[in-house]
Amino acid sequence: MQADSKPLTKADFEALARFRFGIRRYLRFSEQTVRGHGLTPQQYQLLLALKGFPGREWATMSEVAERLQLRHHSAGELVNRAQSQGLVQRLPHPEDARSVRVELTEDGQDALARLSSLHRDELRRMEEALALPHWSEPS
């Protein structure tokens, strides 16, 4: 990826810094909120990835690993921990006997609904801070 040859202005740096600060504030909110409800941030991300998977509400282990940007064995360990807490379950894949699908349990659905509502409300409050920067035109 090649950088734009035009130098960044002071306003560009301020916009980047404001956006980065907004992202970090949101992530901190998320981490604290999720932990306060007895889950790890990774478990919340897993639940959200499953519910938000395009076209269905389950994923294979490979898809979980890809969505969460984890190695396959790390995704497996995360699913194991979430399964032991009753948040997800493994079921036979409907078309591939070599694979399993991971989906939310009712408890997982409930936890995700509560946490996602809080996240949505926080994102609404932070809308301006998380808006993509508008780049100034160099003179």
Side-chain angles (χ1 to χ4, degrees):
M1 201 164 147
Q2 197 170 25
D4 191 346
S5 61
K6 301 171 189 167
L8 277 72
T9 66
K10 173 68 171 146
D12 291 337
F13 284 110
E14 289 175 8
L16 281 170
R18 185 174 44 254
F19 183 67
R20 177 68 177 86
F21 177 62
I23 291 171
R24 186 59 204 126
R25 271 186 36 212
Y26 175 73
L27 291 175
R28 184 167 185 238
F29 160 83
S30 180
E31 291 163 2
Q32 291 174 337
T33 299
V34 168
R35 287 188 199 289
H37 284 80
L39 274 71
T40 67
Q42 295 80 12
Q43 287 172 325
Y44 173 69
Q45 291 170 27
L46 170 63
L47 301 181
L48 184 59
L50 293 172
K51 183 74 172 179
F53 198 86
R56 60 182 196 260
E57 294 187 10
W58 58 270
T60 66
M61 289 302 298
S62 296
E63 292 167 335
V64 167
E66 172 64 24
R67 287 286 168 157
L68 300 181
Q69 294 294 286
L70 296 173
R71 293 184 180 175
H72 195 274
H73 74 275
S74 297
E77 291 170 6
L78 176 61
V79 168
N80 288 343
R81 289 190 303 275
Q83 188 171 11
S84 71
Q85 286 186 261
L87 300 170
V88 302
Q89 60 187 346
R90 286 181 169 97
L91 296 169
H93 190 288
E95 299 159 4
D96 184 355
R98 299 167 298 158
S99 187
V100 297
R101 66 183 189 187
V102 181
E103 65 180 44
L104 298 175
T105 62
E106 190 173 324
D107 286 348
Q109 297 266 8
D110 292 344
L112 179 63
R114 280 192 312 276
L115 289 167
S116 293
S117 178
L118 295 170
H119 281 76
R120 180 195 57 208
D121 294 346
E122 182 66 10
L123 282 170
R124 285 179 175 154
R125 281 189 289 278
M126 295 186 67
E127 189 170 358
E128 186 176 328
L130 290 173
L132 290 176
H134 295 289
W135 306 113
S136 61
E137 292 298 321
S139 45

